[in-house]
Amino acid sequence: MFDSQMPILIVLLVMGAGAKVVTVYRGGEPGTLSRLGPAVLMPGRMQAPSLLVCAVVELVLAGGLLFATAPIFRWGTVGFFAMCTYVLVELRRRRPDAGCGCFGEVSSAPVGIRSIGRTVVLTGMSALSVAAPASGWAATVHPTWLTAAGLAVIALLSPEIEELVDRVRYRAPCEQRPGPTEQVMLSRLRSSGPWRAHQEALTSPEPYDSWRELCWRFFVFTGRDQDDVVFAVHLSGRRPAVRVAVVSNDDSDSLPEYTPVSA
């Protein structure tokens, strides 16, 4: 039981490391690294090295879990995923537009409950591995139904799968795809938690302005205090991430500060 989830940890660590290395060396669109955690929390010149350091740590932990039984690798994996959980919570609070970067550029969607829930589950799996009597090699060669169950849970908590399906279907990054119509996005907004929380503060249920920017559709409403209430709805998913900001008309030169709330 204690070693049943070790194959999942090993595979995800290797996949995460490989994806980060590919993202750094392929480059991608300008500013890609500035939208991926943990690089988003670093100064510009440290963004690529931070992803590479994270990749090296993941490979070392994966190798230790696979071939060794030393506690340092197992407790190190617990600490790594616990730290990932903290970083994702900080990203959601400080940069709600940034992706987790867990699997490189594929993890570019805004950090949501699923991504955070995944790292929490992986932390729990890592804690179970501490008591495993053998190395991860034996568990990898002889997986059990618990391994399959754990893999199913991780798959449900991985928004990257939807992103990969979209890329296969459209073969273009999110910002270059034709998104849903404005009315569809408005309907998704009205079914979200942030809309219900701010609906009473609006003078009208209809926006007076709307536009698309990269992977977001923005809607602007007039608030009862004559402020602008701006909603940003991510284009991906039937229950997309939604951000909201209240912009004072008395301070038109300042940028809105987004409240990290998602549907």
Side-chain angles (χ1 to χ4, degrees):
M1 173 182 176
F2 294 109
D3 58 357
S4 61
Q5 308 308 320
M6 290 179 70
I8 299 175
L9 299 174
I10 294 168
V11 170
L12 291 182
L13 287 169
V14 172
M15 289 177 58
K20 291 179 179 67
V21 171
V22 170
T23 297
V24 170
Y25 283 99
R26 191 172 63 180
E29 297 293 325
T32 293
L33 296 184
S34 65
R35 300 192 297 271
L36 299 176
V40 70
L41 301 177
M42 299 290 179
R45 63 181 181 179
M46 294 299 296
Q47 290 175 349
S50 68
L51 281 181
L52 292 177
V53 168
C54 187
V56 170
V57 171
E58 287 175 309
L59 286 177
V60 170
L61 292 174
L65 290 178
L66 185 62
F67 298 112
T69 59
I72 186 173
F73 294 111
R74 299 183 179 184
W75 282 113
T77 305
V78 176
F80 175 79
F81 284 117
M83 179 60 69
C84 288
T85 303
Y86 170 76
V87 170
L88 293 189
V89 171
E90 282 296 295
L91 276 178
R92 184 175 166 85
R93 183 177 67 86
R94 295 168 54 182
R95 283 290 305 274
D97 61 311
C100 74
C102 307
F103 297 98
E105 191 177 0
V106 179
S107 303
S108 58
V111 174
I113 297 299
R114 291 170 68 191
S115 297
I116 296 174
R118 179 176 60 193
T119 57
V120 172
V121 170
L122 290 172
T123 303
M125 289 182 177
S126 304
L128 285 176
S129 73
V130 173
S135 68
W137 176 257
T140 302
V141 175
H142 303 288
T144 67
W145 68 269
L146 287 174
T147 305
L151 186 61
V153 171
I154 295 300
L156 288 174
L157 295 174
S158 297
E160 291 85 359
I161 294 178
E162 297 171 5
E163 178 65 20
L164 287 173
V165 170
D166 286 343
R167 291 192 179 200
V168 170
R169 290 176 60 191
Y170 299 105
R171 300 189 182 278
C174 170
E175 56 267 25
Q176 297 178 10
R177 298 179 208 146
T181 65
E182 180 177 334
Q183 289 303 314
V184 170
M185 297 306 296
L186 187 58
S187 175
R188 293 177 181 176
L189 168 63
R190 287 170 175 162
S191 65
S192 69
W195 170 264
R196 291 190 291 270
H198 292 81
Q199 184 177 8
E200 297 299 325
L202 307 179
T203 59
S204 171
E206 298 298 327
Y208 74 81
D209 196 8
S210 173
W211 71 92
R212 172 178 172 171
E213 184 173 340
L214 298 177
C215 297
W216 296 86
R217 167 66 67 173
F218 291 84
F219 296 97
V220 186
F221 298 80
T222 300
R224 296 192 182 280
D225 295 330
Q226 300 306 310
D227 295 330
D228 288 337
V229 181
V230 184
F231 292 91
V233 187
H234 200 265
L235 297 177
S236 300
R238 295 186 178 277
R239 292 184 60 81
V242 178
R243 315 299 183 202
V244 59
V246 178
V247 185
S248 173
N249 289 324
D250 297 332
D251 192 13
S252 58
D253 294 333
S254 64
L255 293 174
E257 179 180 353
Y258 286 100
T259 304
V261 178
S262 62

